[in-house]
Amino acid sequence: MIIFLRISAYSILIPIICSLFMKQSDRRYYALIIAFIYMSGLLYLISLILSVNHIHNHFLSHISTLYEVLLLGFFYYKIFKNTIIKKTTLYLMFVLILFIFINAFFIQGINHFNSYSRMPASIYFIFLTFTYLSLLFKNTPVKYLEREPVFWINTGILFYFTGTIFAFVLYSNANFVFTNKFNSQIWLVNGFFNILLNVLVSIGFICNRKT
């Protein structure tokens, strides 16, 4: 299990390396996704340092959810063209950011894993990804879908948050209700979908952006 989780953590290097070989124009277009990937790598590094020094690191989960909502929310706001959808994306993002802070300081606490705010954040991302797919197949005649970078990135985000939403909800109670084996299985599920996310985002990075 430890080896698999390390593979999952180090898989973040795949999209980081792929981003270094992107054209300058593509790097600007996908700047928010690249920032999301780099922040994920930085947060893992900080988490590893804290863990090695036996320092509590659950507060990082609040930071993680915050930058996910900000960066991915603005990314979808950028690619959506419909005014109502853009405003809805922005409004929900600000509501989620407010709830993340309320949860961190007044509900679960900064030193507790933020399962309460991760669930609505996951629902938000699932909504955005399905909205993108709906608009893609409805309005855009994509001839070669495998050459559409955003499709791959969107699919990775969809799979990750759909696959882990219930695992993170259960985690808030796992230490009290379920066995250590169940806890391990939760993190294995997260590890699998994390690898899938990084691989699919990497495919998106190496695709030629459709013009």
Side-chain angles (χ1 to χ4, degrees), residues 96 99 115-125 165:
L96 269 174
F99 180 68
S115 58
Y116 291 173
S117 56
R118 282 204 70 92
M119 183 174 183
S122 296
I123 294 173
Y124 174 61
F125 295 131
I165 182 172

Side-chain angles (χ1 to χ4, degrees), residues 45-77:
L45 181 60
I46 295 173
S47 176
L48 182 62
I49 293 172
L50 294 177
S51 178
V52 168
N53 290 278
H54 307 287
I55 300 175
H56 195 74
N57 61 12
H58 276 175
F59 72 92
L60 294 175
S61 64
H62 299 273
I63 298 174
S64 173
T65 305
L66 179 61
Y67 79 72
E68 287 172 354
V69 170
L70 276 170
L71 296 176
L72 296 182
F74 273 120
F75 173 72
Y76 281 99
Y77 174 80

Side-chain angles (χ1 to χ4, degrees), residues 81-210:
K81 304 302 180 184
N82 182 282
T83 303
I84 296 177
I85 295 177
K86 288 175 76 72
K87 289 182 177 180
T88 301
T89 300
L90 205 59
Y91 173 76
L92 292 176
M93 182 177 66
F94 286 134
V95 171
L96 269 174
I97 291 172
L98 179 61
F99 180 68
I100 289 170
F101 280 103
I102 292 174
N103 181 61
F105 294 105
F106 301 106
I107 303 178
Q108 287 188 290
I110 197 71
N111 290 318
H112 192 284
F113 186 82
N114 66 332
S115 58
Y116 291 173
S117 56
R118 282 204 70 92
M119 183 174 183
S122 296
I123 294 173
Y124 174 61
F125 295 131
I126 293 169
F127 162 74
L128 294 178
T129 55
F130 274 115
T131 300
Y132 166 78
L133 289 176
S134 175
L135 294 174
L136 176 67
F137 292 114
K138 181 179 179 180
N139 301 326
T140 308
V142 180
K143 187 175 181 180
Y144 299 104
L145 195 59
E146 70 279 4
R147 299 181 185 176
E148 189 70 21
V150 179
F151 170 77
W152 290 103
I153 295 170
N154 182 79
T155 302
I157 295 170
L158 172 62
F159 283 168
Y160 178 77
F161 288 102
T162 302
T164 60
I165 182 172
F166 294 110
F168 280 123
V169 170
L170 289 173
Y171 180 74
S172 63
N173 298 314
N175 292 327
F176 305 100
V177 179
F178 301 102
T179 64
N180 289 332
K181 182 179 180 180
F182 186 81
N183 287 334
S184 300
Q185 291 173 340
I186 288 177
W187 287 108
L188 284 174
V189 169
N190 177 69
F192 169 77
F193 284 105
N194 185 59
I195 293 173
L196 187 60
L197 169 64
N198 290 327
V199 170
L200 291 174
V201 169
S202 300
I203 294 174
F205 282 171
I206 62 178
C207 281
N208 290 319
R209 182 160 62 89
K210 183 181 178 182

Side-chain angles (χ1 to χ4, degrees), residues 25-38:
S25 59
D26 287 344
R27 287 178 61 85
R28 288 195 298 268
Y29 187 82
Y30 297 104
L32 291 168
I33 296 297
I34 294 174
F36 164 72
I37 292 298
Y38 283 23

